[in-house]
Amino acid sequence: MKKQTVPAVLSGIFILMLASCGSNSKEQAAGAGAGPAQPPASYQVFTVTPKSATLNSDYPATLQGEQNIEIRPKVDGFVDKIYIDEGSVVKKGQLLFSISAPQYQQDLNNSAAAISSAQADVSAAQLAVNKTKPLVEKDIISHYELESAEYTLAARKAALKQAKATYNTAKVNLGYTNIVSPVNGVVGTIPYRTGSLVSSTNANPLTTISNISKVYAFFSLNEKQLLAFSRTVKGSTLNEKLKNTPPVTLILSDDSTYPEKGRVETISGLINTETGSASFRATFPNPVGLLRSGSSANVRIPSPVKEGILIPQRSAYELQGKHFVYVVDDKNAVKSAEIEIMDLTAGQFYVVTSGLKAGDKVVYDGSSALKDAAVIKPEPMATDKVYEGLNK
């Protein structure tokens, strides 16, 4: 019996030792996996503050001078001399071209000769009247002879008037061979050179003179933009709205801002059925001739916003066509909030129409990597820093 009891006792001790080792291994493994809790990540946070700003709407525009006058010959002939060059600045009445047309000089000479002949006929007819009149008074010849002489004189005077009219026409036609500028302006392209045969039926003009002391910028607004414009600008009539429209700015093709302000002066009364837009015209002074006809630019129309909810664009993120921001609650937990924004922007800022209110705390860099209910360590930002660059 004793021999059998000792092995049994040893077996029990061995089992207890194995159990103890297994327990210690689990505790060590548990101890190895556990560690100190990670601190929340830091994010810059700002408080939403109402701000006043100016929203800018840009519209593509085509520039045209106040006057664009095609210079065409009124007589047929060869270009004899060109007195200007493309791009030249000319004054009203300045000589531009001369046309070689000898026939008009010949017509003038013939007309002058016809006048001389007609004047001689008038003198002869007058002499006949003067000779006949005393003879009639003395009843030497009949009164019929006097009337006939007077009729002849009248016919000769009429012929003289006709000759003078023909002369004036010939003189005008000859004057058309010298072409002068009808306005102050800038010369366009010159397709015909010296020796070219030109006439009033040519497809292309000799050149175009653009009066660019004022420049018109033509642009369009679609129906939605036109309604927004009409509702935003004060006034009960179209003329009142035009007067209340703020001055507009011209953004040139190199993205620079034209120094002179312009005014919107006309709005088309009809909407183009093909484009669905209405035409606008803004006028800009052009004292140094920087703007030229045919150039392209953008007309920028300002729209003021007073005490609006503005946030930096970087604070929002877009998901499926909607905009969201992360709002921080009192426990420093973030929650995504959908916002609605205006189509217009104030520089790098969105104008929020719903979803936020003054006093809300928003994560400055709206990263979509954040998750709802995540706890962060907020780092408050100064208001001036958040809205730095607004309206610049």
Side-chain angles (χ1 to χ4, degrees):
M1 293 293 292
K2 290 182 179 180
K3 291 180 180 180
Q4 295 177 351
T5 303
V6 172
V9 173
L10 292 174
S11 298
I13 294 172
F14 182 71
I15 293 171
L16 290 174
M17 292 176 63
L18 289 175
S20 176
C21 290
S23 176
N24 289 336
S25 298
K26 291 180 180 179
E27 289 177 0
Q28 291 175 359
Q38 295 293 329
S42 298
Y43 286 89
Q44 291 181 310
V45 174
F46 68 93
T47 301
V48 175
T49 305
K51 290 286 183 180
S52 296
T54 300
L55 309 184
N56 292 319
S57 306
D58 290 354
Y59 303 96
T62 300
L63 306 184
Q64 293 293 335
E66 183 180 8
Q67 293 175 294
N68 292 316
I69 301 176
E70 292 184 345
I71 306 300
R72 293 182 177 274
K74 294 184 178 181
V75 295
D76 300 345
F78 296 93
V79 177
D80 183 47
K81 194 168 183 180
I82 301 174
Y83 297 91
I84 40 87
D85 199 359
E86 297 174 347
S88 301
V89 178
V90 296
K91 299 294 184 180
K92 182 178 180 180
Q94 181 176 336
L95 185 61
L96 305 178
F97 302 90
S98 63
I99 306 295
S100 176
Q103 67 272 24
Y104 295 106
Q105 182 63 56
Q106 187 62 41
D107 290 343
L108 185 66
N109 295 338
N110 292 337
S111 299
I115 289 176
S116 298
S117 176
Q119 286 175 338
D121 291 340
V122 168
S123 298
Q126 183 67 57
L127 182 61
V129 170
N130 295 340
K131 180 180 178 180
T132 305
K133 186 177 293 186
L135 296 176
V136 172
E137 292 174 354
K138 295 179 181 180
D139 292 329
I140 299 174
I141 60 176
S142 67
H143 190 74
Y144 171 80
E145 297 293 338
L146 178 60
E147 289 181 350
S148 178
E150 290 175 343
Y151 289 149
T152 300
L153 176 61
R156 296 293 185 265
K157 288 182 176 179
L160 177 60
K161 288 183 179 180
Q162 181 65 44
K164 289 181 177 180
T166 301
Y167 175 85
N168 290 334
T169 300
K171 187 176 181 180
V172 169
N173 288 337
L174 182 62
Y176 289 149
T177 60
N178 290 323
I179 300 173
V180 299
S181 177
V183 294
N184 299 333
V186 179
V187 179
T189 58
I190 302 176
Y192 302 103
R193 296 298 173 179
T194 303
S196 299
L197 177 62
V198 295
S199 70
S200 58
T201 60
N202 286 134
N204 296 321
L206 294 176
T207 190
T208 301
I209 303 297
S210 298
N211 182 357
I212 57 174
S213 57
K214 290 194 299 184
V215 171
Y216 297 139
F218 295 92
F219 61 101
S220 299
L221 270 66
N222 60 36
E223 292 185 58
K224 183 178 178 181
Q225 294 168 334
L226 181 60
L227 289 173
F229 176 84
S230 299
R231 290 168 179 163
T232 303
V233 180
K234 297 180 180 179
S236 57
T237 65
L238 180 60
N239 288 335
E240 290 180 358
K241 290 182 179 295
L242 288 175
K243 290 180 180 179
N244 293 328
T245 302
V248 296
T249 304
L250 196 64
I251 307 301
L252 304 180
S253 56
D254 61 354
D255 293 330
S256 63
T257 301
Y258 183 63
E260 302 286 344
K261 294 291 185 179
R263 300 288 305 185
V264 177
E265 293 185 341
T266 63
I267 303 175
S268 173
L270 296 176
I271 292 179
N272 189 316
T273 56
E274 295 182 358
T275 62
S277 59
S279 297
F280 282 59
R281 189 189 78 194
T283 303
F284 293 85
N286 191 28
V288 298
L290 178 63
L291 305 179
R292 297 297 178 97
S293 292
S295 301
S296 60
N298 286 321
V299 173
R300 176 169 291 174
I301 301 179
S303 178
V305 172
K306 294 183 179 180
E307 299 300 312
I309 302 299
L310 280 78
I311 63 169
Q313 292 184 13
R314 66 182 299 173
S315 301
Y317 67 94
E318 188 174 351
L319 183 63
Q320 296 181 349
K322 299 180 179 180
H323 292 83
F324 298 85
V325 295
Y326 283 108
V327 179
V328 183
D329 62 18
D330 295 338
K331 297 181 180 179
N332 295 336
V334 298
K335 182 179 180 181
S336 61
E338 182 182 352
I339 59 173
E340 293 184 3
I341 61 175
M342 294 182 64
D343 292 336
L344 306 180
T345 60
Q348 298 298 316
F349 296 84
Y350 287 133
V351 181
V352 180
T353 57
S354 66
L356 284 178
K357 64 182 183 299
D360 286 343
K361 295 181 179 179
V362 177
V363 176
Y364 179 67
D365 194 351
S367 172
S368 58
L370 282 171
K371 303 297 181 183
D372 281 351
V375 177
I376 66 170
K377 181 182 178 181
E379 295 182 357
M381 296 182 64
T383 301
D384 294 342
K385 182 67 175 177
V386 175
Y387 294 102
E388 184 179 4
L390 182 63
N391 284 335
K392 287 186 178 179

